[in-house]
């Protein structure tokens, strides 16, 4: 459920190169290194290290790192579950058009996690996630969530959610 997949690497040399670039402040390298530690790929799984690298990249405005950081708080992986902190990071990534962050905001509004339950806002975020997604499985998941929610909404609520999504895209 991560926004940024690490490329296939050539083993220890790749990881060492990545660590050097990350230590020099390269945000994309920090994001990938965070992902490797998060998933234990090529390095031992270490949520503390993952959080460190995600935070550094997220502070530089790296949307995939912001999403991944939000997801760690959303699930409570390596940190206490904290929906307010997850919302903060998801919103930052969503503002940059990150489809997975938009999807997760939709979930949070649909379920009332850290925010009052709001089907209009949830539909808006699912709609934006479906439009922003570059992967068919992620787009399909957003469309399915949006359509399930739409079945429980009034025509007026749907119209408002669609208007909010259109207005948000114009920003």
């Amino acid at each position: 459920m991560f926004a940024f997949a690490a490329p296939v690497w050539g083993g220890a040399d790749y990881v060492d190169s990545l660590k050097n670039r990350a230590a020099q402040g390269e945000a994309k390298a920090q994001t990938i290194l965070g992902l490797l530690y998060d998933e234990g790929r090529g390095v031992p799984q270490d949520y503390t290290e993952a959080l460190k690298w995600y935070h550094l990249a997220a502070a530089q405005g790296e949307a995939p790192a912001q999403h991944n950081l939000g997801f760690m708080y959303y699930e409570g992986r390596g940190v206490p579950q904290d929906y307010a902190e997850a919302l903060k990071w998801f919103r930052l990534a969503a503002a940059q058009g990150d489809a997975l962050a938009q999807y997760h905001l939709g979930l949070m509004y649909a379920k009332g996690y850290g925010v009052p339950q709001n089907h209009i806002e949830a539909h808006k975020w699912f709609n934006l996630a479906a439009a922003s997604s570059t992967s068919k499985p992620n787009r399909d998941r957003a469309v399915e969530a949006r359509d399930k929610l739409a079945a429980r909404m009034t025509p007026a609520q749907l119209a408002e959610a669609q208007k909010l999504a259109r207005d948000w895209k114009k920003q």
Side-chain angles (χ1 to χ4, degrees):
M1 184 86 58
F2 292 95
F4 198 75
V8 175
W9 62 87
D13 289 343
Y14 173 77
V15 173
D16 288 342
S17 169
L18 196 60
K19 286 179 180 179
N20 287 334
R21 293 186 353 248
Q24 293 172 5
E26 185 183 317
K28 286 196 184 320
Q30 291 169 340
T31 301
I32 295 169
L33 192 55
L35 181 62
L36 296 182
Y37 278 112
D38 197 357
E39 296 183 347
R41 293 194 305 175
V43 295
Q45 186 176 43
D46 185 336
Y47 291 143
T48 301
E49 278 295 301
L51 286 161
K52 172 181 122 180
W53 293 112
Y54 286 154
H55 268 289
L56 289 169
Q60 293 184 67
E62 184 75 6
Q66 292 168 338
H67 167 267
N68 293 353
L69 192 53
F71 194 71
M72 291 188 81
Y73 283 103
Y74 179 83
E75 291 213 325
R77 288 203 331 228
V79 291
Q81 188 176 50
D82 185 340
Y83 291 138
E85 195 68 12
L87 275 167
K88 169 185 150 183
W89 293 110
F90 286 155
R91 284 182 175 140
L92 287 169
Q96 296 183 67
D98 187 285
L100 286 175
Q102 293 167 341
Y103 173 79
H104 283 109
L105 281 174
L107 281 179
M108 294 185 83
Y109 279 103
K111 296 176 184 279
Y113 292 166
V115 292
Q117 188 177 44
N118 184 327
H119 289 166
I120 294 168
E121 277 294 308
H123 188 281
K124 173 187 92 173
W125 287 114
F126 289 144
N127 202 15
L128 290 167
S132 299
S133 185
T134 57
S135 114
K136 184 173 176 8
N138 289 342
R139 183 176 30 261
D140 290 349
R141 184 176 59 213
V143 167
E144 180 182 352
R146 180 196 63 201
D147 293 350
K148 274 185 176 178
L149 191 60
R152 300 189 326 239
M153 296 170 67
T154 67
Q157 289 173 319
L158 282 172
E160 184 178 351
Q162 290 165 347
K163 181 185 180 318
L164 289 172
R166 279 191 308 275
D167 290 348
W168 189 90
K169 284 183 196 178
K170 292 177 187 176
Q171 297 178 9

